[in-house]
Amino acid sequence: MKLPGQDAIARQADEHLVTHKVKLPRKLVEHPFRQVAKRLSIALVVLVVTAVIVYADHDGYTDNSDGSVDLLDSFYYATVTLSTTGYGDITPVSDAARLTNIFVITPLRVLFLIILVGTTLEALTERTREEWRLNRWRSALRDHTVVVGFGTKGRSAIQTVCATGLRKDQVVVVDPSGKAIEAAAAHGYAGVIGDATRSDVLNRAEVFRARQIIIATQRDDTAVLVTLTARQLNRAAKIVVAVREEENAPLLKQSGADAVITSASAAGRLLGLSVLSPAAGMVMEDLISQGSGLDLIERPVIKSEVGKNLREVDDLVVSVLRGHRVLGYDDPAVGGLELTDRLITIVRATPATHVAPDARPLPRD
């Protein structure tokens, strides 16, 4: 069974033939061939200027073959002079021509050599350095977060996970838009330009070594395809997907998503809550805005809390994660806390709490 829009996506990928380029969070150097072409153009300008200078004072030069210097001889003299070949068949004989060679043509010769040799080697060296940096980045990338889509949802998701302590160099953005990747790189994130429904694009983002994958695409059918591809490449990663329509959530669960967020329904519920109680809406908005006001975090149970009930815990506990079950704070099944439990708590956002939930510093026993 083909999903709606699957053929269109495939045709678009085939038509555009996007180069899946990795964009590290720094402006990449130009392609070496483009740099060399620019420098060759400048060198050609220097050559023409030199030839014009020589021809303007051609009476001050002599040619061993016929004694006179024409336009062709001027270009010939400029070529052999700038390239330091210097056959000696055309030479300056007047004082003005010799002074021009000393103060004008010699600096042009030095500039010519710098352009062709120095900057060309620099361009190639810079490109090699960039390739080495890219290979080093790939080899060091482990347990990172891949974010598919750098729209409003994707940017908000990145800001939230980074507010809890995730480093920017541990985030890789995948988006088919070059402008979106440029924006991601400007914010300090590595990026991959390409269609995330293709496995080779996700491989460039090292998705098979990622710890968590956030899928925030614009279309639900694209989200399904990306989820299927990502789950096939990485069986252990936590995959969280945002969809527009609630009816597509079960399909994404079957595709391998660990959690599905229905953006339209969530926004609608928040709107309704804000109408019924503006204060409650403000509190909810505060809770989902990580890094300011009140934050919802997940943390493990410490030894001193084992056997206690939720009222005896210092933090305000909302739910208890026990195995694969999420128990509410008022669920009688919670009983005493176990060492393997994890707590969903509400805490006041401070610099000390801006760390990843799994690495949150716990009070000593």
Side-chain angles (χ1 to χ4, degrees):
M1 180 183 69
K2 291 187 177 180
L3 295 172
Q6 184 175 2
D7 292 336
I9 294 173
R11 284 196 302 271
Q12 185 178 5
D14 293 336
E15 288 174 1
H16 293 286
L17 296 176
V18 180
T19 301
H20 310 134
K21 183 170 64 175
V22 176
K23 189 85 170 177
L24 295 183
R26 184 175 69 89
K27 184 179 179 181
L28 293 178
V29 296
E30 279 187 301
H31 195 280
F33 294 114
R34 185 175 298 175
Q35 290 198 25
V36 172
K38 284 185 177 180
R39 283 151 181 79
L40 285 175
S41 300
I42 298 174
L44 182 60
V45 172
V46 173
L47 176 64
V48 172
V49 170
T50 304
V52 170
I53 292 174
V54 173
Y55 184 71
D57 190 24
H58 63 277
D59 292 336
Y61 295 82
T62 181
D63 187 353
N64 293 338
S65 61
D66 56 10
S68 63
V69 176
D70 55 16
L71 183 60
L72 178 61
D73 293 332
S74 299
F75 275 94
Y76 167 75
Y77 177 78
T79 302
V80 298
T81 299
L82 293 180
S83 61
T84 67
T85 304
Y87 294 113
D89 48 351
I90 299 178
T91 57
V93 292
S94 68
D95 291 342
R98 291 175 177 176
L99 287 173
T100 301
N101 269 262
I102 293 173
F103 294 108
V104 179
I105 295 180
T106 297
L108 289 175
R109 182 188 301 118
V110 174
L111 177 62
F112 186 86
L113 293 176
I114 290 175
I115 292 171
L116 283 188
V117 179
T119 54
T120 300
L121 289 177
E122 180 184 354
L124 297 176
T125 303
E126 194 67 29
R127 181 66 180 181
T128 302
R129 186 183 298 115
E130 187 64 30
E131 290 292 341
W132 175 79
R133 181 169 174 253
L134 180 59
N135 292 332
R136 185 180 63 176
W137 169 78
R138 280 180 172 150
S139 62
L141 200 60
R142 295 287 189 283
D143 294 333
H144 57 290
T145 299
V146 176
V147 180
V148 179
F150 198 65
T152 302
K153 292 180 291 186
R155 289 194 298 269
S156 299
I158 294 175
Q159 291 172 1
T160 299
V161 295
C162 287
T164 60
L166 186 69
R167 302 193 314 272
K168 288 187 175 182
D169 59 2
Q170 285 293 104
V171 176
V172 181
V173 177
V174 181
D175 198 288
S177 170
K179 292 183 178 179
I181 297 302
E182 289 284 352
H187 283 82
Y189 312 118
V192 178
I193 304 173
D195 183 3
T197 61
R198 301 168 62 95
S199 58
D200 55 336
V201 176
L202 292 181
N203 281 329
R204 287 180 178 271
E206 307 293 317
V207 75
F208 52 90
R209 294 189 295 196
R211 182 180 184 182
Q212 48 201 12
I213 303 169
I214 300 173
I215 301 174
T217 58
Q218 298 297 324
R219 296 167 55 99
D220 289 1
D221 53 353
T222 304
V224 173
L225 293 174
V226 175
T227 303
L228 286 168
T229 307
R231 180 55 73 197
Q232 183 181 15
L233 296 174
N234 191 329
R235 298 290 182 182
K238 179 188 293 184
I239 299 180
V240 180
V241 189
V243 293
R244 293 178 179 273
E245 302 298 334
E246 194 168 1
E247 62 185 11
N248 294 323
L251 181 58
L252 280 159
K253 287 279 189 178
Q254 296 175 8
S255 301
D258 295 293
V260 180
I261 308 300
T262 307
S263 57
S265 298
R269 284 191 289 268
L270 186 57
L271 285 172
L273 179 61
S274 299
V275 169
L276 297 174
S277 173
M282 291 175 60
V283 172
M284 285 299 301
E285 188 175 359
D286 184 17
L287 287 174
I288 62 178
S289 299
Q290 198 74 22
S292 62
L294 299 176
D295 281 349
L296 270 174
I297 67 167
E298 176 184 332
R299 70 167 179 86
V301 172
I302 59 176
K303 292 182 179 179
S304 61
E305 295 172 337
V306 174
K308 293 183 178 180
N309 59 48
L310 298 184
R311 294 182 179 180
E312 297 175 312
V313 177
D314 294 335
D315 293 340
L316 179 59
V317 180
V318 177
S319 300
V320 177
L321 178 61
R322 179 169 295 168
H324 296 288
R325 295 186 302 162
V326 179
L327 305 176
Y329 71 94
D330 58 346
D331 195 324
V334 173
L337 291 176
E338 302 175 4
L339 189 60
T340 56
D341 290 342
R342 297 186 68 84
L343 304 179
I344 309 297
T345 66
I346 297 177
V347 298
R348 172 66 60 180
T350 63
T353 60
H354 289 183
V355 294
D358 289 340
R360 178 177 180 248
L362 301 175
R364 296 183 179 180
D365 295 344

mmCIF file with all atom_site columns, all heavy atoms in Angstrom, residues 2-22:
data_model
loop_
_atom_site.group_PDB
_atom_site.id
_atom_site.type_symbol
_atom_site.label_atom_id
_atom_site.label_alt_id
_atom_site.label_comp_id
_atom_site.label_asym_id
_atom_site.label_entity_id
_atom_site.label_seq_id
_atom_site.pdbx_PDB_ins_code
_atom_site.Cartn_x
_atom_site.Cartn_y
_atom_site.Cartn_z
_atom_site.occupancy
_atom_site.B_iso_or_equiv
_atom_site.pdbx_formal_charge
_atom_site.auth_seq_id
_atom_site.auth_comp_id
_atom_site.auth_asym_id
_atom_site.auth_atom_id
_atom_site.pdbx_PDB_model_num
ATOM 1   N N   . LYS A 1 2  ? 0.608  2.169  -0.911  1.00 0.00 ? 2  LYS A N   1
ATOM 2   C CA  . LYS A 1 2  ? 1.368  3.405  -0.985  1.00 0.00 ? 2  LYS A CA  1
ATOM 3   C C   . LYS A 1 2  ? 0.692  4.484  -0.166  1.00 0.00 ? 2  LYS A C   1
ATOM 4   O O   . LYS A 1 2  ? -0.522 4.627  -0.185  1.00 0.00 ? 2  LYS A O   1
ATOM 5   C CB  . LYS A 1 2  ? 1.492  3.878  -2.439  1.00 0.00 ? 2  LYS A CB  1
ATOM 6   C CG  . LYS A 1 2  ? 2.391  2.986  -3.289  1.00 0.00 ? 2  LYS A CG  1
ATOM 7   C CD  . LYS A 1 2  ? 2.608  3.607  -4.650  1.00 0.00 ? 2  LYS A CD  1
ATOM 8   C CE  . LYS A 1 2  ? 3.558  2.757  -5.484  1.00 0.00 ? 2  LYS A CE  1
ATOM 9   N NZ  . LYS A 1 2  ? 3.786  3.360  -6.815  1.00 0.00 ? 2  LYS A NZ  1
ATOM 10  N N   . LEU A 1 3  ? 1.502  5.222  0.543   1.00 0.00 ? 3  LEU A N   1
ATOM 11  C CA  . LEU A 1 3  ? 0.977  6.314  1.349   1.00 0.00 ? 3  LEU A CA  1
ATOM 12  C C   . LEU A 1 3  ? 0.711  7.521  0.461   1.00 0.00 ? 3  LEU A C   1
ATOM 13  O O   . LEU A 1 3  ? 1.360  7.709  -0.575  1.00 0.00 ? 3  LEU A O   1
ATOM 14  C CB  . LEU A 1 3  ? 1.989  6.696  2.434   1.00 0.00 ? 3  LEU A CB  1
ATOM 15  C CG  . LEU A 1 3  ? 2.242  5.616  3.478   1.00 0.00 ? 3  LEU A CG  1
ATOM 16  C CD1 . LEU A 1 3  ? 3.388  6.025  4.362   1.00 0.00 ? 3  LEU A CD1 1
ATOM 17  C CD2 . LEU A 1 3  ? 0.992  5.372  4.308   1.00 0.00 ? 3  LEU A CD2 1
ATOM 18  N N   . PRO A 1 4  ? -0.243 8.382  0.840   1.00 0.00 ? 4  PRO A N   1
ATOM 19  C CA  . PRO A 1 4  ? -0.531 9.580  0.048   1.00 0.00 ? 4  PRO A CA  1
ATOM 20  C C   . PRO A 1 4  ? 0.707  10.469 -0.038  1.00 0.00 ? 4  PRO A C   1
ATOM 21  O O   . PRO A 1 4  ? 1.343  10.777 0.956   1.00 0.00 ? 4  PRO A O   1
ATOM 22  C CB  . PRO A 1 4  ? -1.645 10.272 0.836   1.00 0.00 ? 4  PRO A CB  1
ATOM 23  C CG  . PRO A 1 4  ? -2.254 9.185  1.666   1.00 0.00 ? 4  PRO A CG  1
ATOM 24  C CD  . PRO A 1 4  ? -1.144 8.234  1.983   1.00 0.00 ? 4  PRO A CD  1
ATOM 25  N N   . GLY A 1 5  ? 1.013  10.869 -1.260  1.00 0.00 ? 5  GLY A N   1
ATOM 26  C CA  . GLY A 1 5  ? 2.149  11.766 -1.453  1.00 0.00 ? 5  GLY A CA  1
ATOM 27  C C   . GLY A 1 5  ? 3.477  11.074 -1.630  1.00 0.00 ? 5  GLY A C   1
ATOM 28  O O   . GLY A 1 5  ? 4.497  11.720 -1.843  1.00 0.00 ? 5  GLY A O   1
ATOM 29  N N   . GLN A 1 6  ? 3.513  9.709  -1.504  1.00 0.00 ? 6  GLN A N   1
ATOM 30  C CA  . GLN A 1 6  ? 4.784  9.000  -1.603  1.00 0.00 ? 6  GLN A CA  1
ATOM 31  C C   . GLN A 1 6  ? 5.378  9.141  -3.001  1.00 0.00 ? 6  GLN A C   1
ATOM 32  O O   . GLN A 1 6  ? 6.576  9.370  -3.163  1.00 0.00 ? 6  GLN A O   1
ATOM 33  C CB  . GLN A 1 6  ? 4.575  7.526  -1.255  1.00 0.00 ? 6  GLN A CB  1
ATOM 34  C CG  . GLN A 1 6  ? 5.879  6.718  -1.227  1.00 0.00 ? 6  GLN A CG  1
ATOM 35  C CD  . GLN A 1 6  ? 5.636  5.302  -0.762  1.00 0.00 ? 6  GLN A CD  1
ATOM 36  O OE1 . GLN A 1 6  ? 4.519  4.910  -0.498  1.00 0.00 ? 6  GLN A OE1 1
ATOM 37  N NE2 . GLN A 1 6  ? 6.702  4.540  -0.659  1.00 0.00 ? 6  GLN A NE2 1
ATOM 38  N N   . ASP A 1 7  ? 4.548  9.014  -4.031  1.00 0.00 ? 7  ASP A N   1
ATOM 39  C CA  . ASP A 1 7  ? 5.041  9.146  -5.399  1.00 0.00 ? 7  ASP A CA  1
ATOM 40  C C   . ASP A 1 7  ? 5.548  10.559 -5.654  1.00 0.00 ? 7  ASP A C   1
ATOM 41  O O   . ASP A 1 7  ? 6.555  10.767 -6.332  1.00 0.00 ? 7  ASP A O   1
ATOM 42  C CB  . ASP A 1 7  ? 3.932  8.792  -6.394  1.00 0.00 ? 7  ASP A CB  1
ATOM 43  C CG  . ASP A 1 7  ? 3.570  7.308  -6.335  1.00 0.00 ? 7  ASP A CG  1
ATOM 44  O OD1 . ASP A 1 7  ? 4.441  6.535  -5.897  1.00 0.00 ? 7  ASP A OD1 1
ATOM 45  O OD2 . ASP A 1 7  ? 2.452  6.952  -6.725  1.00 0.00 ? 7  ASP A OD2 1
ATOM 46  N N   . ALA A 1 8  ? 4.822  11.548 -5.124  1.00 0.00 ? 8  ALA A N   1
ATOM 47  C CA  . ALA A 1 8  ? 5.237  12.940 -5.333  1.00 0.00 ? 8  ALA A CA  1
ATOM 48  C C   . ALA A 1 8  ? 6.588  13.211 -4.694  1.00 0.00 ? 8  ALA A C   1
ATOM 49  O O   . ALA A 1 8  ? 7.439  13.899 -5.257  1.00 0.00 ? 8  ALA A O   1
ATOM 50  C CB  . ALA A 1 8  ? 4.185  13.892 -4.760  1.00 0.00 ? 8  ALA A CB  1
ATOM 51  N N   . ILE A 1 9  ? 6.773  12.644 -3.503  1.00 0.00 ? 9  ILE A N   1
ATOM 52  C CA  . ILE A 1 9  ? 8.053  12.840 -2.814  1.00 0.00 ? 9  ILE A CA  1
ATOM 53  C C   . ILE A 1 9  ? 9.180  12.195 -3.604  1.00 0.00 ? 9  ILE A C   1
ATOM 54  O O   . ILE A 1 9  ? 10.266 12.761 -3.766  1.00 0.00 ? 9  ILE A O   1
ATOM 55  C CB  . ILE A 1 9  ? 7.984  12.261 -1.389  1.00 0.00 ? 9  ILE A CB  1
ATOM 56  C CG1 . ILE A 1 9  ? 6.989  13.061 -0.548  1.00 0.00 ? 9  ILE A CG1 1
ATOM 57  C CG2 . ILE A 1 9  ? 9.354  12.290 -0.723  1.00 0.00 ? 9  ILE A CG2 1
ATOM 58  C CD1 . ILE A 1 9  ? 6.724  12.457 0.804   1.00 0.00 ? 9  ILE A CD1 1
ATOM 59  N N   . ALA A 1 10 ? 8.936  10.984 -4.109  1.00 0.00 ? 10 ALA A N   1
ATOM 60  C CA  . ALA A 1 10 ? 9.970  10.292 -4.873  1.00 0.00 ? 10 ALA A CA  1
ATOM 61  C C   . ALA A 1 10 ? 10.311 11.047 -6.158  1.00 0.00 ? 10 ALA A C   1
ATOM 62  O O   . ALA A 1 10 ? 11.480 11.179 -6.520  1.00 0.00 ? 10 ALA A O   1
ATOM 63  C CB  . ALA A 1 10 ? 9.502  8.877  -5.198  1.00 0.00 ? 10 ALA A CB  1
ATOM 64  N N   . ARG A 1 11 ? 9.269  11.560 -6.830  1.00 0.00 ? 11 ARG A N   1
ATOM 65  C CA  . ARG A 1 11 ? 9.523  12.303 -8.065  1.00 0.00 ? 11 ARG A CA  1
ATOM 66  C C   . ARG A 1 11 ? 10.303 13.579 -7.791  1.00 0.00 ? 11 ARG A C   1
ATOM 67  O O   . ARG A 1 11 ? 11.201 13.951 -8.538  1.00 0.00 ? 11 ARG A O   1
ATOM 68  C CB  . ARG A 1 11 ? 8.190  12.655 -8.730  1.00 0.00 ? 11 ARG A CB  1
ATOM 69  C CG  . ARG A 1 11 ? 7.530  11.478 -9.435  1.00 0.00 ? 11 ARG A CG  1
ATOM 70  C CD  . ARG A 1 11 ? 6.454  11.983 -10.394 1.00 0.00 ? 11 ARG A CD  1
ATOM 71  N NE  . ARG A 1 11 ? 5.439  12.764 -9.712  1.00 0.00 ? 11 ARG A NE  1
ATOM 72  C CZ  . ARG A 1 11 ? 4.343  12.252 -9.170  1.00 0.00 ? 11 ARG A CZ  1
ATOM 73  N NH1 . ARG A 1 11 ? 4.117  10.937 -9.230  1.00 0.00 ? 11 ARG A NH1 1
ATOM 74  N NH2 . ARG A 1 11 ? 3.452  13.030 -8.578  1.00 0.00 ? 11 ARG A NH2 1
ATOM 75  N N   . GLN A 1 12 ? 9.943  14.246 -6.694  1.00 0.00 ? 12 GLN A N   1
ATOM 76  C CA  . GLN A 1 12 ? 10.648 15.476 -6.349  1.00 0.00 ? 12 GLN A CA  1
ATOM 77  C C   . GLN A 1 12 ? 12.120 15.211 -6.064  1.00 0.00 ? 12 GLN A C   1
ATOM 78  O O   . GLN A 1 12 ? 12.991 15.976 -6.461  1.00 0.00 ? 12 GLN A O   1
ATOM 79  C CB  . GLN A 1 12 ? 9.990  16.123 -5.131  1.00 0.00 ? 12 GLN A CB  1
ATOM 80  C CG  . GLN A 1 12 ? 10.589 17.477 -4.769  1.00 0.00 ? 12 GLN A CG  1
ATOM 81  C CD  . GLN A 1 12 ? 9.883  18.109 -3.589  1.00 0.00 ? 12 GLN A CD  1
ATOM 82  O OE1 . GLN A 1 12 ? 9.010  17.485 -2.996  1.00 0.00 ? 12 GLN A OE1 1
ATOM 83  N NE2 . GLN A 1 12 ? 10.251 19.324 -3.258  1.00 0.00 ? 12 GLN A NE2 1
ATOM 84  N N   . ALA A 1 13 ? 12.396 14.104 -5.381  1.00 0.00 ? 13 ALA A N   1
ATOM 85  C CA  . ALA A 1 13 ? 13.786 13.769 -5.085  1.00 0.00 ? 13 ALA A CA  1
ATOM 86  C C   . ALA A 1 13 ? 14.555 13.460 -6.359  1.00 0.00 ? 13 ALA A C   1
ATOM 87  O O   . ALA A 1 13 ? 15.720 13.837 -6.512  1.00 0.00 ? 13 ALA A O   1
ATOM 88  C CB  . ALA A 1 13 ? 13.847 12.575 -4.122  1.00 0.00 ? 13 ALA A CB  1
ATOM 89  N N   . ASP A 1 14 ? 13.907 12.754 -7.286  1.00 0.00 ? 14 ASP A N   1
ATOM 90  C CA  . ASP A 1 14 ? 14.579 12.409 -8.530  1.00 0.00 ? 14 ASP A CA  1
ATOM 91  C C   . ASP A 1 14 ? 14.809 13.632 -9.402  1.00 0.00 ? 14 ASP A C   1
ATOM 92  O O   . ASP A 1 14 ? 15.799 13.723 -10.126 1.00 0.00 ? 14 ASP A O   1
ATOM 93  C CB  . ASP A 1 14 ? 13.757 11.370 -9.304  1.00 0.00 ? 14 ASP A CB  1
ATOM 94  C CG  . ASP A 1 14 ? 13.710 10.028 -8.581  1.00 0.00 ? 14 ASP A CG  1
ATOM 95  O OD1 . ASP A 1 14 ? 14.646 9.784  -7.794  1.00 0.00 ? 14 ASP A OD1 1
ATOM 96  O OD2 . ASP A 1 14 ? 12.761 9.255  -8.801  1.00 0.00 ? 14 ASP A OD2 1
ATOM 97  N N   . GLU A 1 15 ? 13.852 14.577 -9.371  1.00 0.00 ? 15 GLU A N   1
ATOM 98  C CA  . GLU A 1 15 ? 13.969 15.745 -10.222 1.00 0.00 ? 15 GLU A CA  1
ATOM 99  C C   . GLU A 1 15 ? 15.084 16.665 -9.766  1.00 0.00 ? 15 GLU A C   1
ATOM 100 O O   . GLU A 1 15 ? 15.869 17.173 -10.554 1.00 0.00 ? 15 GLU A O   1
ATOM 101 C CB  . GLU A 1 15 ? 12.644 16.518 -10.241 1.00 0.00 ? 15 GLU A CB  1
ATOM 102 C CG  . GLU A 1 15 ? 11.540 15.798 -11.016 1.00 0.00 ? 15 GLU A CG  1
ATOM 103 C CD  . GLU A 1 15 ? 10.203 16.519 -10.883 1.00 0.00 ? 15 GLU A CD  1
ATOM 104 O OE1 . GLU A 1 15 ? 10.182 17.569 -10.206 1.00 0.00 ? 15 GLU A OE1 1
ATOM 105 O OE2 . GLU A 1 15 ? 9.217  16.036 -11.447 1.00 0.00 ? 15 GLU A OE2 1
ATOM 106 N N   . HIS A 1 16 ? 15.150 16.886 -8.469  1.00 0.00 ? 16 HIS A N   1
ATOM 107 C CA  . HIS A 1 16 ? 16.100 17.866 -7.958  1.00 0.00 ? 16 HIS A CA  1
ATOM 108 C C   . HIS A 1 16 ? 17.500 17.282 -7.771  1.00 0.00 ? 16 HIS A C   1
ATOM 109 O O   . HIS A 1 16 ? 18.483 18.017 -7.838  1.00 0.00 ? 16 HIS A O   1
ATOM 110 C CB  . HIS A 1 16 ? 15.596 18.441 -6.621  1.00 0.00 ? 16 HIS A CB  1
ATOM 111 C CG  . HIS A 1 16 ? 14.360 19.268 -6.785  1.00 0.00 ? 16 HIS A CG  1
ATOM 112 N ND1 . HIS A 1 16 ? 14.390 20.523 -7.334  1.00 0.00 ? 16 HIS A ND1 1
ATOM 113 C CD2 . HIS A 1 16 ? 13.062 19.004 -6.496  1.00 0.00 ? 16 HIS A CD2 1
ATOM 114 C CE1 . HIS A 1 16 ? 13.160 21.018 -7.366  1.00 0.00 ? 16 HIS A CE1 1
ATOM 115 N NE2 . HIS A 1 16 ? 12.344 20.111 -6.854  1.00 0.00 ? 16 HIS A NE2 1
ATOM 116 N N   . LEU A 1 17 ? 17.587 15.986 -7.537  1.00 0.00 ? 17 LEU A N   1
ATOM 117 C CA  . LEU A 1 17 ? 18.877 15.334 -7.336  1.00 0.00 ? 17 LEU A CA  1
ATOM 118 C C   . LEU A 1 17 ? 19.736 16.127 -6.347  1.00 0.00 ? 17 LEU A C   1
ATOM 119 O O   . LEU A 1 17 ? 20.817 16.614 -6.647  1.00 0.00 ? 17 LEU A O   1
ATOM 120 C CB  . LEU A 1 17 ? 19.624 15.183 -8.671  1.00 0.00 ? 17 LEU A CB  1
ATOM 121 C CG  . LEU A 1 17 ? 18.945 14.273 -9.707  1.00 0.00 ? 17 LEU A CG  1
ATOM 122 C CD1 . LEU A 1 17 ? 19.725 14.295 -11.001 1.00 0.00 ? 17 LEU A CD1 1
ATOM 123 C CD2 . LEU A 1 17 ? 18.822 12.853 -9.192  1.00 0.00 ? 17 LEU A CD2 1
ATOM 124 N N   . VAL A 1 18 ? 19.217 16.287 -5.148  1.00 0.00 ? 18 VAL A N   1
ATOM 125 C CA  . VAL A 1 18 ? 19.862 17.130 -4.145  1.00 0.00 ? 18 VAL A CA  1
ATOM 126 C C   . VAL A 1 18 ? 21.187 16.521 -3.713  1.00 0.00 ? 18 VAL A C   1
ATOM 127 O O   . VAL A 1 18 ? 21.297 15.322 -3.496  1.00 0.00 ? 18 VAL A O   1
ATOM 128 C CB  . VAL A 1 18 ? 18.939 17.277 -2.911  1.00 0.00 ? 18 VAL A CB  1
ATOM 129 C CG1 . VAL A 1 18 ? 19.610 18.144 -1.863  1.00 0.00 ? 18 VAL A CG1 1
ATOM 130 C CG2 . VAL A 1 18 ? 17.616 17.886 -3.328  1.00 0.00 ? 18 VAL A CG2 1
ATOM 131 N N   . THR A 1 19 ? 22.209 17.345 -3.606  1.00 0.00 ? 19 THR A N   1
ATOM 132 C CA  . THR A 1 19 ? 23.485 16.909 -3.070  1.00 0.00 ? 19 THR A CA  1
ATOM 133 C C   . THR A 1 19 ? 23.386 16.896 -1.552  1.00 0.00 ? 19 THR A C   1
ATOM 134 O O   . THR A 1 19 ? 23.156 17.928 -0.935  1.00 0.00 ? 19 THR A O   1
ATOM 135 C CB  . THR A 1 19 ? 24.605 17.864 -3.506  1.00 0.00 ? 19 THR A CB  1
ATOM 136 O OG1 . THR A 1 19 ? 24.651 17.881 -4.930  1.00 0.00 ? 19 THR A OG1 1
ATOM 137 C CG2 . THR A 1 19 ? 25.939 17.390 -2.975  1.00 0.00 ? 19 THR A CG2 1
ATOM 138 N N   . HIS A 1 20 ? 23.566 15.730 -0.962  1.00 0.00 ? 20 HIS A N   1
ATOM 139 C CA  . HIS A 1 20 ? 23.372 15.596 0.481   1.00 0.00 ? 20 HIS A CA  1
ATOM 140 C C   . HIS A 1 20 ? 24.654 16.032 1.184   1.00 0.00 ? 20 HIS A C   1
ATOM 141 O O   . HIS A 1 20 ? 25.491 15.207 1.544   1.00 0.00 ? 20 HIS A O   1
ATOM 142 C CB  . HIS A 1 20 ? 23.009 14.144 0.828   1.00 0.00 ? 20 HIS A CB  1
ATOM 143 C CG  . HIS A 1 20 ? 21.894 13.620 -0.037  1.00 0.00 ? 20 HIS A CG  1
ATOM 144 N ND1 . HIS A 1 20 ? 21.946 12.388 -0.621  1.00 0.00 ? 20 HIS A ND1 1
ATOM 145 C CD2 . HIS A 1 20 ? 20.733 14.172 -0.428  1.00 0.00 ? 20 HIS A CD2 1
ATOM 146 C CE1 . HIS A 1 20 ? 20.841 12.181 -1.319  1.00 0.00 ? 20 HIS A CE1 1
ATOM 147 N NE2 . HIS A 1 20 ? 20.096 13.263 -1.220  1.00 0.00 ? 20 HIS A NE2 1
ATOM 148 N N   . LYS A 1 21 ? 24.801 17.320 1.351   1.00 0.00 ? 21 LYS A N   1
ATOM 149 C CA  . LYS A 1 21 ? 26.019 17.866 1.916   1.00 0.00 ? 21 LYS A CA  1
ATOM 150 C C   . LYS A 1 21 ? 25.862 18.094 3.403   1.00 0.00 ? 21 LYS A C   1
ATOM 151 O O   . LYS A 1 21 ? 24.850 18.591 3.857   1.00 0.00 ? 21 LYS A O   1
ATOM 152 C CB  . LYS A 1 21 ? 26.363 19.186 1.214   1.00 0.00 ? 21 LYS A CB  1
ATOM 153 C CG  . LYS A 1 21 ? 27.659 19.811 1.684   1.00 0.00 ? 21 LYS A CG  1
ATOM 154 C CD  . LYS A 1 21 ? 28.060 20.972 0.804   1.00 0.00 ? 21 LYS A CD  1
ATOM 155 C CE  . LYS A 1 21 ? 27.063 22.104 0.884   1.00 0.00 ? 21 LYS A CE  1
ATOM 156 N NZ  . LYS A 1 21 ? 27.481 23.285 0.123   1.00 0.00 ? 21 LYS A NZ  1
ATOM 157 N N   . VAL A 1 22 ? 26.899 17.715 4.147   1.00 0.00 ? 22 VAL A N   1
ATOM 158 C CA  . VAL A 1 22 ? 26.904 17.958 5.583   1.00 0.00 ? 22 VAL A CA  1
ATOM 159 C C   . VAL A 1 22 ? 27.402 19.374 5.828   1.00 0.00 ? 22 VAL A C   1
ATOM 160 O O   . VAL A 1 22 ? 28.416 19.806 5.267   1.00 0.00 ? 22 VAL A O   1
ATOM 161 C CB  . VAL A 1 22 ? 27.820 16.947 6.303   1.00 0.00 ? 22 VAL A CB  1
ATOM 162 C CG1 . VAL A 1 22 ? 27.889 17.265 7.785   1.00 0.00 ? 22 VAL A CG1 1
ATOM 163 C CG2 . VAL A 1 22 ? 27.322 15.535 6.087   1.00 0.00 ? 22 VAL A CG2 1
#
